[in-house]
Amino acid sequence: LAKTTQPISMDSYEGQEVNITCSHNNIATNDYITWYQQFPSQGPRFIIQGYKTKVTNEVASLFIPADRKSSTLSLPRVSLSDTAVYYCLVGDLPLTGGGNKLTFGTGTQLKVEL
Amino acid sequence: DADVTQTPRNRITKTGKRIMLECSQTKGHDRMYWYRQDPGLGLRLIYYSFDVKDINKGEISDGYSVSRQAQAKFSLSLESAIPNQTALYFCATSEGQGANEKLFFGSGTQLSVL
């Protein structure tokens, strides 16, 4: 099971770009990297997923270097509403019959201020 | 309307009582999951189901049971509730295969066992 390490918390100001890095040194060949966002008293929400290089959607970008041992979630021009916990997940064969599971760690608490 | 609906949103019960948390989904997904979230511990998987009548234990299944009688419904039961089962419970569905599976969460049920 691929273990991930990410900062416990980060602070930023409105309008800034925020980069949250996740380390996953024992990522397996078949693993994808997925990020979720969670607001208080709500379930996590899928943000972005990637396998290598760069992925971009309307919410964020995900940068994955060639060795795939880390990944960086980039949030452009954050606002107060981006204050949330961000989880980095790396799956072995997540939630398939093999019994491997996506695991949610404690995530990164991002706080955005004025 | 939410795609993944959990009822009730809040529940207070006493030690030793049997309670059931309900989850229904309109996404048409075969796979469903129950997680619990405790402060500082992230989300932990309780049970999951890949299809009707299919039940699999997660990492913390002791003290819980589930039922999957229909594709759209997945219920979680606490046979005899105890105070350390006080937590925020999330139901989720997923789409995709293998390593690029994506989870969709309900809004959660806050359970308090007195």
Side-chain angles (χ1 to χ4, degrees), chain B residues 39-58:
Chain B
L41 292 180
L43 281 82
R44 292 182 290 169
L45 183 63
I46 306 172
Y47 271 97
Y48 58 102
S49 169
F50 290 157
D51 204 347
V52 176
K53 301 295 178 69
D54 175 70
I55 302 296
N56 304 280
K57 291 183 178 181

Side-chain angles (χ1 to χ4, degrees), chain B residues 46-80:
Chain B
I46 306 172
Y47 271 97
Y48 58 102
S49 169
F50 290 157
D51 204 347
V52 176
K53 301 295 178 69
D54 175 70
I55 302 296
N56 304 280
K57 291 183 178 181
E59 58 184 301
I60 53 164
S61 58
D62 287 348
Y64 301 94
S65 63
V66 291
S67 175
R68 183 87 185 275
Q69 298 295 328
Q71 186 203 42
K73 297 184 183 298
F74 192 35
S75 60
L76 175 72
S77 294
L78 286 67
E79 299 301 325
S80 179

Side-chain angles (χ1 to χ4, degrees), chain A residues 30 36 38 43-44 87 94-95 106, chain B residues 37 40 42 50 90 99 101 103 105:
Chain A
N30 294 331
Y36 287 82
Q38 186 180 24
Y87 297 95
L95 304 168
T106 53
Chain B
Q37 185 172 37
F50 290 157
F90 289 106
E101 193 161 356
L103 292 162
F105 286 84

